[in-house]
Amino acid sequence: MIELHALSRTYAGAVPRRVFDRLSMTVSRGEYVALVGPSGVGKSTLLNLIAGLERPDSGTLVVDGVDFATCDDEALTALRRSRMGFVFQAFHVLPYLSVAANVALPLALQQRHGAQADARVAAMLESVGLAGRGDARPAELSGGELQRVAIARALVHRPAIVLADEPTGNLDPAAARQVIALLRDAVKREGATGIVATHSRVAAASADRVLRLAADGLHAHALGGADDVD
Amino acid sequence: MSRSSTATTVVRAVTGGGVGRLRGRTLVAVVAIASGVALGYAVELVNRAAIGELVAGLATLSGDADLEVRGPREGFDERLYPALADDRDVAIASPIVEVDAAIDGRSHALQVLGVDVFRAAAINPALVATARDRLDPLRGDAMFVSPAATAWLGVRDGDVLSVRAGARELRLRIAGSAGSAGALRYGVMDIAAVQQQFDRLGRLTRIDLRLRPGVDRARFIERIQRSLPAGVAIAAPSTGAEASSRLSRAYRANLDVLALVALFTGSMLVFATQALSLTRRRPQFALLRTLGLSRRRLVALVVGEAALLGVAGSAVGLVVGYGVAAYALRHFGADLGAGFFRGGTAEVIVEPLPALVLAALGIAAAVTGGAIPAREAARAAPAAALKAGDPDAGWGEWHAHWPGVAAIVVGAFATLLPPIDDLPIAGYVSIALILVGAIVVMPPIAHALLRLLRVPRSVPAALAIAHLRANPGRIAVSAAAMITSVSLMVSMAIMVASFRQSFDDWLGVMLPADLYLRAGTGDDAVFSARQRGEITGAPGVARAEFMRVTSLLIDPAQPRVALLARDIDPRDPAARLAIVGTAIRVPPGAAPPAWVSEAWADRHALATGSVITLPIAGRTMAFTVAGIWRDYARQQGAIVIERGRYVAATGDDTVNQAALWLAPDAHAAEVRRALDARPAQGPGVAATTAGDLRRRSLATFDRTFAVTYALEAAAVAIGLVALSAALVAQTLARRREFGMLRHLGVTRRQVSAMLACEAALTGAIGVATGLVLGFAISLILVHVVNRQSFHWGMELHVPWAALGLLSAVLIAASALTGFAAARGATREDAVHAVRADW
Ligand SMILES: Nc1ncnc2c1ncn2[C@@H]1O[C@H](COP(=O)(O)OP(=O)(O)OP(=O)(O)O)[C@@H](O)[C@H]1O
Ligand SMILES: [Mg+2]
């Protein structure tokens, strides 16, 4: 599903910063993977590469059968639109749209409107425990609820991949636990592949597999011994 | 760290990335403030110069007179003089005859004062000649000219000057100078010579009086006034000065209001640029607030920053204003070319108070503009700004709309109020109230307008509409300057179009003949009976009508009213005059008909059928107002009577102007040549075809209003800059939103389309509101402000095509502004944007 081969990424600057060098990794379809590692090691960078929001300096990257090297920005944008879903640390729910309209956004972007789309939005809201709150304004929701809206939005268009970067970073432990469970359940239910970058031990524990990113590359990680997972 | 350097650090932390980073827009804001201050200051300086000139001129000419006796333009019987001179309370009386001498090739006549040298010496030294030959002041052909007139005429002692006086050509010898350096242009001659050569035998136009010490002035005035013939009045010399300055006052007040409008627009622009720059610095503020900078201190610093813009704008404005005033005075004179004053160059008089007041206004405009966003910024920090959910919370939301509605209602009622001290103060207040009120009620109006839109399928458009619907307050913020400038421009465009069309129609009615003749510049050049005969009998002339123009003193505190004695058919006055409403036929036995201009009717609350009395030739004569006519030429008022009655009452059968109808086969050019060749005509006679007069009048009209067009265009440009500043500010505040959308697969082009759509909608709402508002304001301008200022009535003409085009261009420009703002927003990569912390 996601194949990285010998991926390198260096940020230009006064002192160029090599984030990772010749990194390789494979994630299978339907897998739910947690990405952990110390701050600044490059977790977000890796997610951005997979999302096609950043370009590697070298190496190949094939996502859902599409080789990114053959894609221009337009094609990657289209790819994100149809096959990816995102959950952000800061929710990013549009304050001026209703909850339902926020969830429906990815469908609208694919020109999917009408009763079928509405039903799908309602179903997604129900699955994240927000049935009947579709007409509410985001300002009326709590942080945990907003993140549930974001989860519904990330999955409403049945993406092949869901990328979540510290989805619980802005939440209190109770809300975080709820969101982690919901995210995992939703990804599994929709049959999507999920990658969650996180510092949260609970979040990592919910994953099928935990990968630890370090300066010298990716390592399989057994929960319990890690120092960098809260 | 010392106290002061800590303070500097705080100031730097607050202002860092502020003014400095927004050079372009900051510059525009400073320019807007500067233009308001400059216009205001220039108007003020010109006003001062004008009044200074007038007062100085009058002081020069009336010298140490306590009182003066004045009458109609034609003067009064000179036998009044010995009566006054012998009065027990009068120390000295100085008789004067004032006439206008037309000079060939000059657009203005030279005022010539005939004085009794010995009398004048005691009261008005400015009228005493410095003669090389001691007998010259008594010689009939000798004239002494003021220094300003010497310069204007370009003459030297001993030169001979040809002037047209009455129906004659006169050759006057320049025998020396009169008075000292001053701006006033005049010539001084012996009184007897003037009376004789200018057809003023037995007449005086003024008597200056010095009273004996201890005389009660009020009692004296009362006693003398009773003995004066009708149309002659006694008053302090300053009364005349005030009367003359009155004429130009409304015009100057209008310019003052334009200056205030420029300041208001400048204030709007400061508002928009400050809102933008503060949005940019919001993270900085959030941090500083978190670190313990008090809200009050933050607001003070940010407002101080706006004040700095005001100081810069004011300083530039004062300098520019001074330059403009000096230039205008040099090239157009103290009346800015409107023709209110005659005379030479006025001096710029600089006094500290007006400069301080205008600087204060400029700074106040900037501070007002900066205060609202400063408060928002301080309130937003740190809680809302650091809260992830709603990055742009607290962005200029207005909650109470009733003050706006109240302002509009009060404004509407204010239009019903009469002028205050002859100025349309209530009209101006009404415009200001309606404008501000409309901006305050913008949010619900914008909301209602947006409700009318069907949400389209296209995601960018749908998002744009959703965003605007959720933030109507922000539309008001973005479009406030735009609404102001568009409504201003629209109202001025409608007013000017109405005026121009009405003026054109008026010219059509007022110029029915083929050819017009004037005896010369000034109303004292006349055609004699013989010349009249020649004109009527000239080959190619089928018909000739004549007019005698003079003026009457009805109230010494008001300018003289023009009396037009003309050949007119009382059964059909509308054939010659632009009658407003209906004219009536005066029944036999009633007072004879007079047709009064709108200005005169307005000022004296006259209606058709009213009976008025006019002091003609020292006697009061009753007339019936047989009709009210429109007169764009004489703001002080004009009254038309039949020439036959004037001749019968005064014995004066000279005329100043002739209207000629040509025979079917005659050519205007040939007739003009034939008339020029008549020996008796002499130079100075100006023959003009109706077409030329009309063209020239319209050209003058367009020139007068060219300034307004330029100001309007500038205002609209400022409105667009403000809109763009507001849009960029809002786009900046929404960076994370765009970053998220890019994650979700929205293309850059779609983001641009969304912002352009928002900008176009905001522009459209601004333009639509501006159009409606502009129409309302144009009604106030046409029916209240102009009417009360100048007593000019006009028909409403809306230049639909021009307004439609303007609206389309403005909406397109708004959309482009949105695109430009989007370019900045989408240039940043999506990854960075979603992480942007506020
Ligand atoms: N745009 C950029 N320009 C330069 N350097 C960058 C940029 N983005 C990230 N980096 C650097 O790349 C490294 C990896 O950053 P990244 O955000 O991927 O870390 P992370 O593992 O997600 O950290 P955290 O757990 O704190 O979120 C960091 O050292 C960061 O300084
Ligand atoms: Mg990260």
Side-chain angles (χ1 to χ4, degrees), chain A residues 43-44 165-166, chain B residues 835:
Chain A
K43 302 183 292 294
S44 300
D165 195 350
E166 306 208 27
Chain B
R835 281 199 299 198

Side-chain angles (χ1 to χ4, degrees), chain A residues 48 53 80-81 92 94 96, chain B residues 457 737 742-743 745 831 834:
Chain A
N48 291 335
L53 290 161
R80 280 202 299 280
R81 185 159 59 218
H92 292 314
L94 292 182
Y96 53 85
Chain B
R457 278 286 156 89
E737 175 189 334
R742 296 270 297 126
H743 272 84
V831 176
V834 284

Side-chain angles (χ1 to χ4, degrees), chain A residues 44 48 53-54 73-74 77 80-81 86 88 90 92-97 105-106 108-109 111 113-114 137 146 153 170, chain B residues 388-390 457 459 463 466-467 470-471 734 736-737 740-750 754 830-831 834-835:
Chain A
S44 300
N48 291 335
L53 290 161
E54 282 184 39
D73 186 61
E74 198 77 2
T77 304
R80 280 202 299 280
R81 185 159 59 218
F86 291 86
F88 308 89
H92 292 314
V93 172
L94 292 182
Y96 53 85
L97 293 181
L105 200 51
L109 282 170
Q111 305 300 328
H113 302 273
R137 290 269 146 189
L146 284 174
R153 181 181 63 193
N170 283 7
Chain B
D390 187 9
R457 278 286 156 89
V459 176
L463 283 178
H467 181 251
N471 301 285
R734 290 166 66 193
R736 305 195 316 162
E737 175 189 334
M740 183 276 282
L741 288 173
R742 296 270 297 126
H743 272 84
L744 259 54
V746 174
T747 62
R748 277 174 218 270
R749 217 173 317 126
Q750 281 175 311
M754 171 177 123
V831 176
V834 284
R835 281 199 299 198

